[in-house]
Each structure stands twice: as C-alpha cells, then as structure tokens.
Amino acid sequence: MDSDLTRRALVGAILAGGVGASVFSPVRGYLERFAPLSGSAWDATDRPDSRTIEGPYGAAEVRYDEYGVPNVTGESEEALYYAVGYAQARDRAFQLDLQRRQMRGELSAVVGEQTLDSDEFRTKMDFAGAAQVTWDSLADSRAGALTEAYTAGVNEIMANDPSALEFSLLEYEPDPWTPVDTILMQKQIAWTLTGSFRTLRTSLVADRLGGEVAEELYPSRLDHESPIIRDGGIDQASQQGSRTEHESSPHTVDPALADWLSQFESPSGIGSNSWVVSGEHTASGAPIVANDPHLSLMAPPVWYEMNLSTPATSVRGVTFPGVPFVVIGENDAGAWGFTNTGADVIDFYRYDTRNGEYRYEDEWREFETEQRTIEVDGGENKQMTVRKTVHGPVIEREGERVGVAWTGHTAESTPQAIYQYSQSEGLDDIVEATRNFDVPTQNLVYADRDGNTLYYVTGRIPIRTTDGEVVPGDRIFDGSAGEGEWQGFTPFGTSSWEGFVPFEEKPHVMNPDYIGTANQRVVDDPEHYIAEAYSDPYRGIRIYDRLDRRAQSDEPIDPQFVKELQRDTLDLRAEALVPLLVEIARAADDTAEIGQYVDALDDWDRRMERDSLAALLFTRWFDEYRERVFGPTFEEHDLGSSYYPNDWVLQHLGPDSRWFEGRSRAGVMLDALDAAIEEIEDAEYDTYGGYNTTGAMDHPLGLDFLGYPALPTDGSRATVNNYAVENPTGSSWRMVCPMDGPSQGVVPGGNSGSYYSGHYDDQLELWADTEYKSMSREIRGESTLTFEQGDDQ
Amino acid sequence: MSLTNRWRRFRSAEAWRWLTMIVAIAVGLVAAWVHWAGLFVGGALVGLASATRGRALLAGFGFGVLVVALFVVALFVGGDLTQYLAMGRIVAISLALPPVVAAFAALSRWLV
C-alpha cells in the first residue's frame, strides 16, 4: 500500500508538473497556436463558402472572381464601402494592422526590440498626429462618411473574427480599426513616395568628400533629352522660367543622424511607368492608358484589387489595403494612373537652442513637447519626448537634431480627391478632383471615353523663401534665421497653401497626343523649382523611343503594343557599357579562360531575359563594377553603399574620371568581370532566370513559407519591365486600359493575404511571365458574402 | 470497495474495457477539437482505459497519432494540406505535440 501511495504521489506530481509546465510556460503558446484541430493557427483554414452578415448600411454583396478579386455591389455607397471594408479585412487583416502599427510606431509592442528604431522615428515624426488632423478636416465630407462605413466593415473582422495566421504566429489580436488608421495608410504611401533625406545625405557627402565631388555624384540634372514634357507638347504655363542650380548647403548635419534617418526613406527602386496615347495614334481611334507603379514587392502585394458597383457608379482598380477607394483604375468615364514625380516637398532646418528653447527669428520659443511611451514586447518600454517647432517635428538622436517640414504633416484632402476620381464623369471632373490631391506629388495620366487625354502633376509643391527671395529646397536651412519659409503651411493644423505653387502653374498638358512618365525630369525649364533630382532616365528614354518610333511608323498603337512595351527588357546601361566591356576584355591578354563569357556578352541583344547568360553576367558585373569604382573612397570616408550615386552617373564616368585615379577604367572593368564570373560559378547560376526570381519577395515576418516561390522572371532595375531582385521592388501592378476595349491588369502575387487561400499567389506566374488577366467591370463570381440591413439598425 | 478498485474490476472485463476505450477516444477527440487541453484529457482517458501500464503509454501515443491523422485528413479535405506541409518547423511542432502530450497524460494509468 505504501509503495502504491508513493507511486501515485510520484506520478501525480509528474502529471501535475507537466500540466503546470504546459499552462505556465512557453509550451502553452505552442499548444494554443499549433495543437492540431484546435490551434489558432488553423482558424484561417476555416473559411465558409458563403455567409450572411447583418450590417448597419443596407444591402450589399461580395462575389469573388476566378482570381479572388471582390466584385462588390451595394444598394448605396455606404452599403458598398461597408462591404469593401469587410472584404479587405477578410483578405488582408494582418497587413492592415501591421502597416498601422508601423506608422504609429507600435511595431515593437508585438515583435520586440528589433523594430525600436522604426518606432522611435515614426513616433517622433508623429504621422499619427498628422492623420488625426486630416481626419478632423475630412470627417464631415462625403469621403469621410464613406470612410466611416468602410471602418465599420473592417471592424466586423478586426473585432469579431481576426483569424489571419500572422496574428496567431505573433500571439496577439488587433485593436479595432479607426478612420484615422485609414488616413494613416494614405500618409504611409505619401511618405514612401516623397519622404526623402537626400538633402541630408548630399550634405554629408559634401562634408566628407567635398562640394565638387558631391555635385558630380548627385547632379540636380541628369544629362539626357527625354523629360516627361517635351517640346511641342508643353503647356505654356510650364515653359517659363529657368531651372534652379544646385547649391551646397552652408549648414552641415551630424553624420550619425543622417545615417540613422536614411533607413526610413524609400528603398531605391521606388518609381513607376505610365503613358497615355490619344486616339490620334491608336488603331481604334480611342485612347489607351498604361500604368505600372514600382513599389516594394512582397507577400502579400501592396495593392488590393476591387471591382465596385452601385446603381450609379462602376469602378475597378487597385487600392492600398486600409483605404476604401480605388486609387488607380477605371470607371464608366475613363481610366487613370500615377507615377512618382519626385518633387521636393520636404525641408530640413537647424536651430540655435538653449534650455529647452529654440530661437525663431527674434524670439526664443519653447519646443512643443509631448511624452510618449513605446511598448516593447519582451523588453523594457522606452520613454520618449516628441518635439515640434513652427516648421514641424524635430528628429533627435544622441544629442543631434534636425527640424523637418513635410507637406504630409498637415490636414489635407487627398482622400477626397481619390474618392472623386471614382465618381468622375470625364476630364473636367478629373481636373477638379486633382485640385484636392495635396500629397503625394504624382504624375497623373488620364484618358476618357470621349477621347480626351491628360497629364497633370498632383500635390502641393512648396515655394520656399529666405528674406523674401525664392530658394530651392536642396539645402539645410537655418530655421532660427527664418530661412526656407513655407507661407500658408501649418504643421499639424490646417494649411491655406497660399504660398505654394498655384494649381494652374504646376506642369500639365491637356490632351497630349501621347506622353510617357517614368520618374524622369518633368520638364527642362520649370517655372518653379520642383525637385532636387530625378530617377535614372533609362525607362523614360526607352518608353519615348518606342512610342516615337511607333507613332512615326505606319503601324498604329494598339493594346498589344502597349503590353509589349510594358514587357520591354532592353537595358540601356548594357547598351552603353557592354560594347566597351567586350572590347576591353578582348584586348586583354589573359581572357582565354573567360572567352565563353565574353562571347556571350558580345552576342547578347542587351535584353534582361531569364534564359540569358549574358544578362546574368551583366547584372553581376555592373554591381561589382560599381563597388570597385566607389567602394574604396566611400569606405575610407566611412560612407556605406547607400551613398553611392545612381547608375547613370556610374555609366558616364569617363576613363579620366577622378574615380579611376591610380587605376585604369579598363582594369577596374576587368576586375569586376572576373569577380562577377567567380560569383556566378560559385552560386552555380546558369542563366539570369536562376538569379532573377520572385523568391526575393518576402513576407514582412521573414518566414520562408509565407514568402513567394522562386519563379524565374525578366527585367532589371533599369528596364521598362521593372524588377530589382536585389532589393525587391518593381511593377507592383500592371494595367492596360484601352478606352474602347477590355482592360487588363495583374498583381505580383495574389489578391488574398490569407496564406491558406488559393488566391495567395495565383497571379504570381502571370506576373513573372508578364501576362495579364481581365479587369472587367462586369460583376462576376459566386456570391460569397451577403450583407443585409440589421434588425436593430 | 474503493473507487480505484471498482475501476480496476470494471477494466478487467475485456468487453467493457474496449467500450470504455472507444468512449475515451471519442470524448478525447471532441475535447481536442475544442481546446488543446483535450490532448491531455484524451491521453489520460485512453490511459485509464488500458489493461496495462505499457499499453497505456501505447494507447496515449496512439491517440495522439489519431489526432494528427484526423487533422491531416481535415486539411486534405479542406484543400489546405499543401500549404500546411510547407510550414517547416510549425509542421514538426504540430505533428509532435499530440503523441507526446497524450502519451504523457496516459501516465494517469499509474494512478489507478
């Protein structure tokens, strides 16, 4: 009996200990998430085929088409956008919450210390404060009312059914969505497209390497002849005046601060292509709009496609998850798309300070301060002071500070503009809507079914003055001395915009025959300063080259040609450099071992195609060459590769350039070729498609299974068919909209962000092969979600 | 007669033991479908229904394997098996949890 008791006591203790360990240790987390049958990780597999939801806004229906695109109908706009919110959250709930957390500086609360820097930066920039004042100004508008309906729809999922796998993996549930969160999503994309610290970086390079070198590396104007608005098609208002010359800043910036800030601006490669061709040059006599915005490529995609219909409107296109309205798309009247203008809408200021005060002109003022706490999962919360001046937020880091003025830091009406695009009935409506488009600065292209075409720069562009004189924004201003003032701008308030470039004076062309945009210089001689610099012009040159040749030929432009242009893989960097490289390699004495590679380059058509060895060799050679040219000097001055100049500057370095001092250009080119060949052989790549794959498109959580499979694809960062595998950016949406025929589009991945959905990556192969699917505005698909007026509403 | 002895006598009748085992499995599966603690419950019940301690451990392990099998079938029927199998370490964790937990819970057989 005693031994029985002892045994029972022992076993009982073991069992109790085991159960206790399961309940009070990390094991419990594994059980809760991954226990078969009951684990929360499997909740997302349980998606009913159809469902009826009672809501406060009336009847609506969601059908999913063959690519998981919600085809949403509503008896009213409120009912429609309520259903839109529900569908978006059903498909992208985690993405919504992650983006909101990032912009609010609340990532560390769920992922830990690794995102503390991001949270610190975004808390100090107070994007949330800017979103709040924007919402306050919009709440009573039509767009505001519909955002409220959308928010209620999102919360049907966020509050009641947050089944996304990622919530389970990170072990948290999302807070309810708010209209301010929707505005935050718009601030996020505005920041992505206009939040540049180029001024600080240029200033730092000038400080380290000298002003002359900085001017050479970061020219404000690249030497090419292919601006967006060219001779013959320029609106008169845009032709006057002369361009501003770059001047180095008299005020320096702390290097560590500039380095730290650089991680929070757009990744290189953010850009886009678009063009509109009028009926003058098309086979049908009706215009065609084409657009492929280049943004970060990831799983799930940055865009969410929707097909929306009410008795009064029909619109299809893509939006950012978290935003109710179609941003790029087509309605009954016409189609519109955007590329980034790259206008300079951000300035930086230094101040004289003393004891918590800063000097502004003749008086000492107290910083507007607020204490914030950043929560850290599994770590110590961080306390932080947010400071602001008359110009905007102040970014501080280890005792160094810089003031920031950004057009997104005020109440603005862009959501109203985006809503108005959906409602537009033609060219005049689009122009009126564009007046409300405050941030970001974009190149809008538009065509309608009446045959009109349009190019217009959107967004508020500041006119800076110092002592009453207009100055460009490519320098750090002395904020205490009143330099670089923006008249009519009230950060975290409501701006009058009275001192900004008037709408009519912004670059635009009414009814161009055709116009192409690819983030290149807008116009040679703008009336007003627009930007510090623009992107590499390779895509812009190629687009105009092909459009020009086609327009001057006997063959009219048709949708097939437009798609072929979006597929174009000719790399103009290779056109310029490969003949020289081959000549140098052939002239060298020791190239017998690499003869096959030199032959491949020589025979190559300069197209970045997946089955090409030469394309693979060129892309690796180019980056090795870049590293060998700039690396030694930059490293010597403690500057990383993010400070290297763009590809156009590298391409145009002549043999006598200062960057080859002590070396020969030919020698550097050959060294780079040897290194590229070694790299290729070590990695056992056979063709470009082995290196250039969709596998680079990761999920933000970094888990392999949530990323996309590695499909070979074409294109480089310099080709019209745009894909930068080294820093996955590129065509985040491809759209071709003929005004008299079926429109098509494709996203890089799938419309659903639910890992278990068949639509998680069902467009990836189409995208990799530069194929398209229908974006018909006909309502299609099985009825999945039915929304009814609730009894208690 | 103590409750323990009554249970021992009941379990010694083979027909009753099998019936008890079937009921234990059914109850355990339902519990495991509702909550992860069901893995403990199911493992403990099949352990208690087993004739010997050695068989109890086997029964617990077997119950865990049955849970896994049902789970995999459910994923296959739902069209989610491929995605599940791609989940790497999560697959290993989810496959290991039921047999280990249920076999551990089957130590309850040592109590009676």
Side-chain angles (χ1 to χ4, degrees), chain A residues 56-194:
Chain A
Y57 293 103
E61 192 165 46
V62 177
R63 300 166 183 268
Y64 283 92
D65 70 16
E66 65 270 35
Y67 284 100
V69 176
N71 285 229
V72 191
T73 54
E75 64 177 2
S76 66
E77 284 191 305
E78 282 82 355
L80 178 86
Y81 284 107
Y82 179 80
V84 165
Y86 188 98
Q88 271 195 25
R90 182 178 185 264
D91 294 336
R92 301 286 187 96
F94 177 70
Q95 191 178 22
L96 261 69
D97 191 62
L98 192 74
Q99 292 173 160
R100 163 177 66 173
R101 283 187 174 280
Q102 183 186 42
M103 285 302 280
R104 287 189 177 279
E106 295 175 352
L107 280 176
S108 301
V110 294
V111 302
E113 288 181 349
Q114 57 187 311
T115 52
L116 204 46
D117 272 0
S118 166
D119 287 346
E120 184 179 340
F121 170 73
R122 287 173 172 84
T123 300
K124 286 180 173 172
M125 287 290 280
D126 196 13
F127 292 116
Q132 182 66 56
V133 295
T134 297
W135 172 247
D136 292 344
S137 72
L138 273 175
D140 293 333
S141 69
R142 183 68 184 143
L146 298 179
T147 300
E148 293 265 23
Y150 167 86
T151 298
V154 170
N155 280 328
E156 278 296 312
I157 294 288
M158 284 292 204
N160 303 325
D161 185 22
S163 62
L165 172 62
E166 294 92 334
F167 291 135
S168 170
L169 295 176
L170 291 175
E171 296 184 275
Y172 80 96
E173 290 191 358
D175 293 331
W177 193 255
T178 69
V180 178
D181 292 327
T182 285
I183 305 299
L184 257 183
M185 298 303 96
Q186 191 238 311
K187 298 287 183 190
Q188 180 190 43
I189 196 64
W191 177 255
T192 301
L193 295 168
T194 63

Side-chain angles (χ1 to χ4, degrees), chain A residues 447-637:
Chain A
D448 66 23
R449 296 183 208 286
D450 293 333
N452 294 301
T453 55
L454 172 72
Y455 165 80
Y456 222 113
V457 169
T458 75
R460 305 287 182 176
I461 301 175
I463 297 174
R464 298 95 172 148
T465 56
T466 298
D467 296 329
E469 294 290 317
V470 175
V471 294
D474 57 352
R475 65 201 65 190
I476 300 166
F477 295 113
D478 185 340
S480 291
E483 293 180 357
E485 291 294 296
W486 296 6
Q487 189 187 348
F489 179 71
T490 307
F492 304 99
T494 302
S495 296
S496 69
W497 305 110
E498 62 184 294
F500 285 66
V501 175
F503 183 74
E504 289 74 15
E505 293 176 21
K506 289 195 295 184
H508 63 279
V509 189
M510 309 295 285
N511 281 308
D513 278 356
Y514 58 91
I515 197 161
T517 85
N519 320 112
Q520 76 271 46
R521 184 167 65 248
V522 174
V523 59
D524 281 343
D525 297 304
E527 181 175 7
H528 300 281
Y529 165 81
I530 300 174
E532 282 190 78
Y534 297 92
S535 298
D536 276 326
Y538 300 111
R539 291 177 288 110
I541 292 171
R542 180 64 178 162
I543 289 167
Y544 264 136
D545 181 44
R546 289 200 62 176
L547 287 174
D548 288 345
R549 280 191 283 131
R550 185 79 170 200
Q552 288 159 16
S553 74
D554 294 333
E555 271 190 288
I557 291 171
D558 59 14
Q560 188 58 34
F561 170 81
V562 169
K563 285 190 272 189
E564 288 300 324
L565 184 47
Q566 285 192 335
R567 292 183 182 117
D568 192 283
T569 55
L570 185 72
D571 194 315
L572 297 184
R573 299 174 307 172
E575 283 264 286
L577 290 173
V578 167
L580 176 64
L581 177 62
V582 169
E583 181 186 327
I584 288 169
R586 295 241 191 267
D589 293 332
D590 57 350
T591 56
E593 291 180 17
I594 62 170
Q596 57 165 325
Y597 294 105
V598 179
D599 290 345
L601 285 172
D602 203 9
D603 294 340
W604 182 36
D605 60 4
R606 326 298 189 223
R607 290 176 185 276
M608 304 301 285
E609 302 280 354
R610 68 190 73 179
D611 58 356
S612 168
L613 168 64
L616 170 65
L617 187 56
F618 171 74
T619 195
R620 300 320 310 133
W621 171 81
F622 191 90
D623 286 349
E624 291 286 351
Y625 177 55
R626 183 169 177 255
E627 183 60 39
R628 278 164 173 69
V629 171
F630 298 118
T633 305
F634 276 66
E635 196 172 324
E636 184 185 330
H637 291 88

Side-chain angles (χ1 to χ4, degrees), chain A residues 653-661 665:
Chain A
L653 294 180
D656 300 325
S657 164
R658 77 178 87 212
W659 296 96
F660 300 114
E661 276 180 18
R665 184 175 69 174

Side-chain angles (χ1 to χ4, degrees), chain A residues 157-457:
Chain A
I157 294 288
M158 284 292 204
N160 303 325
D161 185 22
S163 62
L165 172 62
E166 294 92 334
F167 291 135
S168 170
L169 295 176
L170 291 175
E171 296 184 275
Y172 80 96
E173 290 191 358
D175 293 331
W177 193 255
T178 69
V180 178
D181 292 327
T182 285
I183 305 299
L184 257 183
M185 298 303 96
Q186 191 238 311
K187 298 287 183 190
Q188 180 190 43
I189 196 64
W191 177 255
T192 301
L193 295 168
T194 63
S196 166
F197 293 110
R198 181 186 168 98
T199 305
L200 302 184
R201 281 187 282 113
T202 308
S203 171
L204 180 58
V205 170
D207 192 42
R208 296 276 173 87
L209 301 176
E212 194 184 339
V213 175
E215 187 63 36
E216 179 193 354
L217 296 180
Y218 304 110
S220 52
R221 180 165 175 166
L222 298 174
D223 182 21
H224 68 87
E225 305 300 325
S226 218
I228 293 172
I229 301 176
R230 305 184 298 178
D231 288 341
I234 307 172
D235 185 86
Q236 293 304 307
S238 304
Q239 284 185 302
Q240 303 156 13
S242 60
R243 73 190 175 98
T244 55
E245 296 295 336
H246 175 88
E247 290 179 24
S248 59
S249 173
H251 310 295
T252 57
V253 63
D254 177 68
L257 181 60
D259 252 349
W260 187 75
L261 286 171
S262 290
Q263 66 185 302
F264 306 117
E265 61 185 349
S266 302
S268 61
I270 296 296
S272 307
N273 302 323
S274 72
W275 54 92
V276 58
V277 182
S278 77
E280 291 292 316
H281 295 283
T282 62
S284 66
I288 302 175
V289 173
N291 187 201
D292 57 294
H294 307 163
L295 298 170
S296 291
L297 301 181
M298 57 191 180
V302 295
W303 296 102
Y304 180 80
E305 188 180 1
M306 312 186 292
N307 184 24
L308 312 179
S309 178
T310 68
T313 60
S314 164
V315 58
R316 179 165 185 152
V318 287
T319 190
F320 297 105
V323 174
F325 310 119
V326 166
V327 175
I328 292 174
E330 179 181 32
N331 67 2
D332 286 330
W336 60 95
F338 298 102
T339 62
N340 199 21
T341 307
D344 184 356
V345 297
I346 185 168
D347 279 345
F348 303 97
Y349 304 83
R350 62 159 294 278
Y351 302 98
D352 300 330
T353 59
R354 69 175 190 192
N355 302 327
E357 295 180 316
Y358 68 101
R359 185 172 67 81
Y360 181 62
E361 297 182 329
D362 295 331
E363 61 178 311
W364 288 90
R365 297 187 177 197
E366 285 193 0
F367 288 104
E368 184 187 328
T369 60
E370 189 180 345
Q371 301 302 315
R372 299 271 183 90
T373 300
I374 297 177
E375 285 185 44
V376 181
D377 181 44
E380 200 172 319
N381 293 347
K382 185 163 185 177
Q383 307 300 321
M384 156 162 322
T385 303
V386 175
R387 285 191 173 82
K388 294 172 185 169
T389 69
V390 293
H391 299 109
V394 174
I395 306 299
E396 295 171 280
R397 184 81 175 168
E398 295 173 358
E400 298 295 331
R401 61 168 60 117
V402 64
V404 180
W406 177 55
T407 50
H409 270 137
T410 186
E412 36 95 7
S413 54
T414 307
Q416 182 72 16
I418 298 295
Y419 166 65
Q420 286 176 285
Y421 285 153
S422 294
Q423 300 291 305
S424 63
E425 295 181 358
L427 184 72
D428 293 343
D429 284 354
I430 288 288
V431 172
E432 280 310 297
T434 304
R435 288 180 186 276
N436 285 324
F437 202 122
D438 293 331
V439 289
T441 46
Q442 296 283 284
N443 301 305
L444 164 71
V445 294
Y446 175 77
D448 66 23
R449 296 183 208 286
D450 293 333
N452 294 301
T453 55
L454 172 72
Y455 165 80
Y456 222 113
V457 169

Side-chain angles (χ1 to χ4, degrees), chain A residues 12 19 23 37 81 85 162 234 277 287 305 557 655 666 669 700 725 785 792:
Chain A
V19 172
V23 172
L37 304 179
Y81 284 107
I234 307 172
V277 182
E305 188 180 1
I557 291 171
M669 283 185 158
V725 68
L785 306 171
D792 58 344

